[in-house]
Amino acid sequence: MEAILTKIAEIPWWAWILSILVIVAFKDIVINKKHTINHNFPIIGHFRYLLESIGPEIRQYFVANNREELPFNRIERSWVYASSKNENNYEGFGTDQDIYVHQHLFIKNKMIPFRMEENHPNQLDKYFLPCAKVMGLHNKRKKPYRPASVINISAMSYGSLSAKAVESLNIGVDKANAYHNTGEGGLSPYHSNGGDVIFHFGTGYFGVRDEAGNFSMEKLKALVADNPFIKAIEIKLSQGAKPGKGGVLPGAKITPEIAKIRGVQVGKDVLSPSYHTAFSTVPELLTFIEAIAEATGLPVGIKAAIGKTDQWQELADLMKSTNKGPDFITIDGGEGGTGAAPPSFADHVSLPWIYGFTKIYKIFQQHAITDRIVFIGSGKLGFPAKGAMAFAMGVDCINVAREAMLSIGCIQAQVCHTNKCPTGVATQNKWLQNGINVPLKSDRLAQYFKTFRKELIEITHAAGYEHPCEFNMRDIETNVDDGELTRTLQESFKYQKTIVPYKGLQELKDCPYLGGSYNTSKK
């Protein structure tokens, strides 16, 4: 044996390398039946696949300019990173944005801006910016809810995100007085760290399903009773990433913990249909909403990506005639989000947020019922200027998903669907998750939300208003390319939003239904 080891030790290093290359070449030419490049160009063909695998990183860090990447460019990501770390998020020497590009936004500032008086709520708390409407007040729900923040966490499930990511988000929204939407994966222990929660479910009814996979009202009632931090219920009709398409949760990803939370079996594939079994028509949806509201006492809303509008017309007709219906409506953009989807869906099915929202808002406006609905926008709106635009168009709150992920460390690697997220945010890999420092990341989420609200308040004051709910569509102009230079949103989309009743920020602060930790009488 010693003689053999001696002979091996005498083999020069270059012979080992040559042997390995010969083996690789033999495999490429004789054994390989799949890759033409490797067969025709043995050994060196592997470099093509290596370069392809790191192509996105090379483009992101060395090739793309500051403004051209999608879904979020370098300037947008840098602003979120700096804001979440409470670092300098300013830019110097003027903008590098081409301000003449199509659809660029211009917010009209007022010659004399809004002036805060002494002891104004924003003098005492520069981050205080609650929703101007109350969920469930019109429909006389037992437990109305006013979100204490105009920016909140959109629907992202535990399972899609890691345990530590969800925990960081929930602790962060508690610090920022925002709410946390659970996503359709059910309520997990990681959603239960102090933040207000909106419980969200889709066609799989995870967390509130019976043994046959159908919706269980009794389980929902028990869930709400056991978890008083649940402030509202959201029914997902569709989502921006894959509207009208069900999902598959592979059995290999279903751990005992996920199985318990979702109410499914360990190791068995779970198929979510593309449709609900609890209702199949718009009148049945309305009945379902009212039944949940009656059973839980909570405001109930719906979430959807927008395509055809005939059933939305039917819903508005029924709401007008019955004086019933959803307390809030979340409009998701077809731009997609954290949910994995085929490119054919992500690229082509459902309208982008700005087009989908205008279609739906106008329907409810024509029925004169916008005052009873809290409109929530979801679709790359997590930046102050885009937030101002959304409020001018009629939203009352903004939900963010990917922007929130960026604030806790996401680097836009775009491998959410592979379980290989390098930052541990969108993976169940325990090793990768260990890189997430929950106390630190929760602080960063909270600081991002606070910075967003502070800058939105400053933009609002510059426009002469106290609260962004006062923005209207004449306050925003966009570049157009049809022979005119700019148009207001009103001229572009042919409507003017309904005025939101508003008496001042102090009234919102004194509201008995205010969420978060602001209302100490609730504690």
Side-chain angles (χ1 to χ4, degrees), residues 145 147-149 152 172-179 196 453 515-518:
Y145 176 60
S149 171
N152 303 280
V173 298
D174 183 36
K175 295 174 180 178
N177 290 294
Y179 68 67
D196 288 353
R453 295 198 304 250
S517 61
Y518 289 117

Side-chain angles (χ1 to χ4, degrees), residues 45-97:
H46 289 276
F47 287 97
R48 183 262 181 195
Y49 296 102
L50 173 63
L51 291 172
E52 182 183 46
S53 69
I54 63 174
E57 288 79 8
I58 291 175
R59 290 190 294 273
Q60 183 179 37
Y61 293 109
F62 302 108
V63 178
N65 69 36
N66 286 343
R67 299 282 184 175
E68 69 180 354
E69 291 178 276
L70 290 173
F72 296 95
N73 63 46
R74 187 176 293 123
I75 291 293
E76 291 172 326
R77 297 197 310 275
S78 297
W79 181 85
V80 174
Y81 295 147
S83 297
S84 65
K85 297 173 185 177
N86 201 23
E87 295 177 350
N88 185 347
N89 62 2
Y90 287 24
E91 60 182 35
F93 210 66
T95 180
D96 62 358
Q97 168 72 59

Side-chain angles (χ1 to χ4, degrees), residues 151-157 161 169 173 179-184 191 198 200 234 239-240 303 330-333 336-338 376-380 398-405 445 449:
I151 180 171
N152 303 280
I153 299 291
S154 190
M156 294 186 287
S157 305
L161 299 191
L169 294 175
V173 298
Y179 68 67
H180 189 178
N181 190 308
T182 62
E184 63 179 314
H191 291 103
I198 289 185
H200 168 111
E234 183 175 77
Q239 69 183 70
K303 173 184 178 178
T330 303
I331 302 299
D332 203 10
T338 54
I376 302 173
S378 177
K380 296 176 66 174
I398 288 167
N399 281 357
V400 295
R402 289 169 292 181
E403 298 95 318
M405 292 168 63
L445 181 280
F449 273 16

Side-chain angles (χ1 to χ4, degrees), residues 171-374:
I171 296 174
V173 298
D174 183 36
K175 295 174 180 178
N177 290 294
Y179 68 67
H180 189 178
N181 190 308
T182 62
E184 63 179 314
L187 182 72
S188 73
Y190 313 108
H191 291 103
S192 311
N193 291 281
D196 288 353
V197 164
I198 289 185
F199 179 75
H200 168 111
F201 65 83
T203 59
Y205 306 118
F206 298 125
V208 289
R209 59 191 264 147
D210 60 21
E211 293 183 359
N214 296 315
F215 174 76
S216 170
M217 185 68 81
E218 293 306 311
K219 286 193 174 181
L220 179 61
K221 287 169 61 178
L223 186 76
V224 170
D226 293 341
N227 301 281
F229 53 82
I230 297 177
K231 302 299 183 181
I233 309 292
E234 183 175 77
I235 304 165
K236 189 192 84 169
L237 305 179
S238 59
Q239 69 183 70
K242 47 187 175 184
K245 180 176 173 60
V248 178
L249 187 63
K253 293 186 69 175
I254 302 178
T255 64
E257 182 182 44
I258 290 177
K260 181 179 179 181
I261 292 167
R262 297 199 176 203
V264 298
Q265 295 181 30
V266 177
K268 184 177 180 180
D269 290 353
V270 177
L271 306 179
S272 298
S274 59
Y275 52 84
H276 278 268
T277 56
F279 56 88
S280 58
T281 66
V282 174
E284 289 177 357
L285 168 61
L286 199 65
T287 300
F288 186 57
I289 290 170
E290 293 301 317
I292 291 176
E294 179 62 28
T296 64
L298 297 178
V300 180
I302 56 177
K303 173 184 178 178
I306 307 305
K308 298 179 180 180
T309 59
D310 52 333
Q311 290 178 318
W312 289 97
Q313 289 278 3
E314 184 180 358
L315 176 61
D317 290 339
L318 281 171
M319 290 177 65
K320 184 70 173 181
S321 62
T322 64
N323 202 31
K324 298 177 180 179
D327 301 293
F328 62 96
I329 296 176
T330 303
I331 302 299
D332 203 10
E335 296 89 344
T338 54
S344 55
F345 270 79
D347 294 347
H348 301 290
V349 181
S350 85
L351 295 169
W353 182 84
I354 195 168
Y355 302 136
F357 180 82
T358 56
K359 287 180 179 291
I360 299 308
Y361 187 87
K362 285 194 281 188
I363 289 172
F364 290 98
Q365 186 181 57
Q366 289 161 4
H367 288 75
I369 55 175
T370 57
D371 59 319
R372 68 169 81 168
I373 303 165
V374 173

